[in-house]
Amino acid sequence: MSIAEDADRYRAPALDKGLDILELLAATDDGLSQAEIAKALDRSPNEIYRMLDRLVRRDYVRRTPEDRYEVTLKLFELGHARPPMRRLISQATPVLRQFAIKAEQAVHLVVQDRNILVVIAQVDSPGYWNVSIRVGSRISLVNTGSGHVFLAFSTPEERLLMMEEQDMGTPEKMPKGLITRLDGVRQQGYENMPSAQTPGVLNLSVPIFGPMGSVIAVLTCPYTQRLDKLDAPNTQQVLNLLREAGQELSRRSTPSA
């Protein structure tokens, strides 16, 4: 049996069709209409319609208000699914513990899950009190330090998609001054903002970069000033420690690390 015959023996036409659509849309910046997809793949619009409908229902593709189709971030999310997540938590935990000891502050690790932020690891400060957030907590993109870092280092297309899934897709609905704020976060490489949830807390957040240069997670310290210990690290010292921890985890996430 020839190689071509062997390949044809195990063909899955429906799967091939779906993959063709995903690969085509992934290479297109502005999305495509159903007719454009059918023409590019040399298939009839009826052939394309049913496959597009399934891809939309499974969240691999979204239909825009302009009746065009574009890929979502679901494939990206699947690429960072459970085994890599366990590896990230395993590598991050000792780094978080060292930070908590040196900074005398709590710290947590945040990832994206369908454009909602989820806390996947957390370490308390070594003292008898701290401000912390439970593992598994889901937090906002628009009013947290972690969310600002994810948005700041996203492409305009990714940012728009994330905001739309927060029901804030139009510029009129976006918080005033957010874009300017995000530009500043990207330029300086971290976020330092008062907590929108707890008074007296500063959210210090830094990115963790993956091998391709994208942000795969964010490290956040809900910093509180210690009044009972004058020699405790101050805000700038804690921020420096957090940035060092973020850089260490970024190095560990690369294949050579």
Side-chain angles (χ1 to χ4, degrees), residues 64-205:
T64 71
E66 295 78 25
D67 206 23
R68 301 177 75 79
Y69 295 87
E70 58 188 23
V71 291
T72 67
L73 297 179
K74 186 172 183 179
L75 285 174
F76 174 82
E77 293 165 0
L78 289 176
H80 293 83
R82 296 302 173 239
M85 194 74 73
R86 288 197 296 269
R87 179 172 179 265
L88 175 60
I89 294 171
S90 175
Q91 291 185 339
T93 299
V95 177
L96 268 61
R97 287 175 179 158
Q98 280 297 110
F99 168 84
I101 292 170
K102 293 178 181 178
E104 301 183 38
Q105 300 283 337
V107 63
H108 54 267
L109 184 68
V110 179
V111 298
Q112 285 191 74
D113 181 12
R114 305 292 177 88
N115 298 322
I116 299 295
L117 305 189
V118 181
V119 178
I120 62 168
Q122 190 272 336
V123 174
D124 288 337
S125 73
Y128 61 86
W129 66 272
N130 63 192
V131 176
S132 63
I133 184 168
R134 293 193 310 271
V135 171
S137 296
R138 291 175 174 260
I139 59 180
S140 169
L141 270 168
V142 298
N143 62 5
T144 64
S146 300
H148 284 188
V149 171
F150 273 113
L151 289 169
F153 287 91
S154 298
T155 65
E157 295 78 16
E158 290 169 340
R159 185 183 296 177
L160 180 60
L161 182 56
M162 287 189 285
M163 296 297 286
E164 284 179 346
E165 296 199 13
Q166 301 285 308
D167 293 326
M168 303 181 71
T170 62
E172 294 78 9
K173 292 183 179 180
M174 292 176 67
K176 187 176 181 180
L178 179 58
I179 297 299
T180 301
R181 180 87 191 189
L182 297 179
D183 290 342
V185 169
R186 187 182 184 98
Q187 183 175 5
Q188 65 191 12
Y190 62 87
E191 176 62 293
N192 178 352
M193 62 178 282
S195 170
Q197 292 78 32
T198 307
V201 174
L202 286 178
N203 285 333
L204 308 179
S205 301

